[in-house]
Each structure stands twice: as structure tokens, then as C-alpha cells.
Amino acid sequence: METTTTRKHGVPTLSAPTIALFRAALRSGWQDFRAAPAFGLIVAFLCLLAGWGLVGLTAWAGHTFWFVLGVFGFPLVAPFAALGTYEVSRLRGMGEHPSVGRVLRVLWAERGRQLPLLCALMMVMLLFWFFLGHMIFALFLGLKPMTNIMSSASVFLSADGLMMLGLGSVVGAGFALLLYSICVIGLPLLLDREVDYVTAMITSIGFVLSNFMVMLVWAAFIAIVLMIAMLPAFFGLLVVLPWLGHSSWHVYAALRSD
């Protein structure tokens, strides 16, 4: 028989993060992935298929700039994809068995709570990133004779191309940092406690701002590892996405003092 748990109300006390804490979380996350890989592999495989679908769509449409936007936008929604691994690690931390069915039931039960509202906000931000990315592209390269990036890569080496890449990188990094600040504590907090999503967002942003440099290191590590994982035809996500998901939960659990 499965054990039911009652969530505590309110925001827990959070301790200061350290690099050593991140290292320990990565080790614990790897242990969780090895002990209960099923759910993480299922979600990662779906992300792999989504990546291939994006490649096929952009090739069919002849506008491979969509693919560039998708690749740089993926880290914006990676925390959403890792939600199930949070629950796996949470259950393992309580000494319980995290079967795929049980994790799915817990996530389904979240539909009436605050978590879907934060996830919806993440999706809106991703769509806005696509819209803004197209505006930046059109501003600098809209009149260039290029329809396919793979066959016209030299356009990026032009003055307009370099300016577009520079501005797009700055704007994309800003989006990623904002969403990271909202979700790094906000998502696991909503899964762990009875709080509203606005409180979770404010708590997460405030925590990142209070510990900015250390949390920036964790953000940079996540972004770099995800980008590297996508290079071999997205296959690296099969390992990296579950590992980072489990590790992110352990970061939150280690910071939580009550």
C-alpha cells in the first residue's frame, strides 16, 4: 500500500548555497537515476523525439532559424520536463518506492494545485522568446537573400549577422536567467509545500538575488551541460536531463532547513 504524505504549509527556511552542496546534489542525483531510471528515461526520450520533430519541421519549412530558436529555448522548459524526476527523488528521500505509475498519479493530482500555473507561465515565456527571436532575426537579416541557415552560414559572418547573434544571445540569456530565477526554487517548492505560485516565484527570485554568484554558477553548469547533451543528435539528453532533474531536487532539499 502506498503511503500518503501531507504537505506542510508555507515557505521553508532556506540556507545559503555552496559549490560543495551542488557537487553533493549531482552525486545524489546520479544515484537516484541509477536506482530508478524508468521515469527519467521516458521523459528524456520524449524530449529526444521533440528535438527530432523540430529538426524535421524546420527542414520541411525551409526556415532552419526556427531550429536555432528551439535549441536556445530548450533550457527554458527543461525544468518543466524534469518535474517527474523531482517526485522520484522526493519519494526516494522518504524511503518509498517511486514507480512510474505512482509518479504519474502524483503529477496528475497537481492539476488542481498551483504547479500548472507556473508551468503555463514557462510555456508563455518560451512562446514569447520565439516571437522576440523572429523579430530580432527580421530586424537584422530579414532582407538578406537567405532561406536556409545550413546553406547560407556565411550570412552570420556579416556585420548584420554578428549584430543579430550578439543581441539575440543577450536577450536569450536574459530570458533564461529570469526563468531560472523563477523555477530553480519555485518548482520544487510547489511540489513540496502548500504555497501559491506567486509566493513560490517571489521566494525563488529573492533567493537567487540574495545568492547571485553561487546560483549563477549552478545556472551556467546546467545550461552548458544541456547544450553539450544536445550536440549528438539530442541523444545526450537521455542521460543528462534525468540526472540534472534529480540533482535539482537534491539542491532544493539540501537548502531546505525545515
Side-chain angles (χ1 to χ4, degrees):
M1 179 179 295
E2 295 178 356
T3 305
T4 59
T5 57
T6 301
R7 291 181 173 91
K8 295 181 179 180
H9 287 261
V11 176
T13 302
L14 300 173
S15 59
T18 63
I19 300 300
L21 182 148
F22 297 142
R23 292 197 189 102
L26 289 170
R27 289 193 294 269
S28 297
W30 183 248
Q31 292 170 1
D32 283 350
F33 180 46
R34 292 185 60 186
F39 192 90
L41 287 174
I42 291 172
V43 173
F45 182 70
L46 292 176
C47 291
L48 177 68
L49 293 180
W52 289 348
L54 180 60
V55 172
L57 176 63
T58 54
W60 171 78
H63 298 288
T64 45
F65 186 64
W66 293 358
F67 177 68
V68 175
L69 292 175
V71 166
F72 283 96
F74 180 78
L76 299 180
V77 295
F80 172 71
L83 271 176
T85 58
Y86 292 178
E87 180 62 16
V88 171
S89 292
R90 189 179 77 90
L91 291 172
R92 276 180 46 80
M94 296 187 299
E96 300 182 22
H97 177 61
S99 67
V100 173
R102 181 173 186 184
V103 173
L104 288 174
R105 285 192 293 273
V106 169
L107 294 180
W108 177 249
E110 291 293 321
R111 70 190 187 281
R113 299 181 66 244
Q114 296 287 301
L115 195 56
L117 296 173
L118 186 54
C119 292
L121 176 63
M122 294 166 61
M123 297 307 299
V124 169
M125 291 185 68
L126 178 64
L127 293 175
F128 188 69
W129 158 244
F130 269 83
F131 171 75
L132 195 57
H134 274 286
M135 287 186 60
I136 295 172
F137 176 79
L139 178 64
F140 290 100
L141 299 178
L143 299 179
K144 297 289 183 181
M146 179 185 71
T147 58
N148 191 305
I149 288 174
M150 301 306 178
S151 61
S152 308
S154 61
V155 175
F156 286 115
L157 299 179
S158 66
D160 286 341
L162 292 174
M163 290 177 64
M164 186 275 294
L165 289 175
L167 179 60
S169 298
V170 171
V171 173
F175 264 89
L177 184 58
L178 174 59
L179 196 53
Y180 166 79
S181 299
I182 290 172
C183 297
V184 65
I185 300 297
L187 281 177
L189 176 58
L190 286 173
L191 195 62
D192 181 47
R193 298 294 183 104
E194 289 289 352
V195 296
D196 63 89
Y197 80 100
V198 175
T199 298
M201 289 170 54
I202 293 173
T203 299
S204 189
I205 293 173
F207 181 81
V208 170
L209 291 177
S210 299
N211 304 276
F212 187 74
M213 292 309 298
V214 179
M215 294 304 293
L216 186 62
V217 170
W218 181 238
F221 176 82
I222 292 174
I224 291 171
V225 172
L226 281 174
M227 289 298 179
I228 294 174
M230 288 188 284
L231 291 178
F234 299 97
F235 278 110
L237 295 177
L238 291 174
V239 174
V240 168
L241 190 60
W243 175 43
L244 290 178
H246 291 300
S247 301
S248 296
W249 172 263
H250 283 287
V251 168
Y252 166 77
L255 292 171
R256 184 188 59 196
S257 300
D258 61 333

